[in-house]
Amino acid sequence: MSTQGSSTETPKIVHDDLRVERDPDRGRIELWQKAQFIGFLGYTEQTVGEETVVVLQHTIIHEAFGRRGYARALVTIVLERLKAEGFLIVPECSYVQDYLRRYPEYAPLVFRGGFEGESEGKQ
């Protein structure tokens, strides 16, 4: 098994057999390890002009799996998938905001505009 990056940098994903499943009815992207549910990233989709922007709302990892790198793995997988699918994101989730500071290579995914109607009545 080869490792990428420097030996002092923690890999973004340290677990095997992970998969994500999008559940649009519940507005979440679930993280599974084999048959074990680990947690989810809540999201909504907003249409802005011709684009669909994915609002990442909150990252929830089951308490039994906390502090073991699962949240980092979930966010990495989700961002890689959204990047491959051509989506932009709005990181409302504080964990995702911290992740983006730690891994600035994902900064180009952040939507820099406003949503239609978002600023109505606000100045």
Side-chain angles (χ1 to χ4, degrees), residues 2-20:
S2 67
T3 53
Q4 297 178 352
S6 70
S7 60
T8 59
E9 184 179 319
T10 303
K12 291 179 196 153
I13 299 174
V14 296
H15 303 286
D16 294 323
D17 300 316
L18 297 179
R19 74 179 191 286
V20 295

Side-chain angles (χ1 to χ4, degrees), residues 28-73:
R28 63 192 211 174
I29 302 166
E30 299 174 341
L31 179 66
W32 294 81
Q33 187 170 38
K34 296 184 180 178
Q36 178 67 55
F37 175 75
I38 304 295
F40 67 92
L41 181 55
Y43 76 97
T44 62
E45 293 182 0
Q46 303 282 334
T47 302
V48 182
E50 301 286 315
E51 293 189 81
T52 300
V53 178
V54 179
V55 180
L56 301 176
Q57 300 172 316
H58 47 263
T59 303
I60 307 292
I61 299 297
H62 189 282
E63 190 176 326
F65 301 101
R67 315 272 321 147
R68 294 177 27 200
Y70 285 103
R72 184 177 61 243

Side-chain angles (χ1 to χ4, degrees), residues 88-106:
L88 293 177
I89 65 163
V90 174
E92 288 182 350
C93 170
S94 61
Y95 183 86
V96 174
Q97 292 168 2
D98 290 342
Y99 181 98
L100 292 169
R101 282 190 281 280
R102 185 170 179 189
Y103 301 106
E105 63 266 30
Y106 293 103

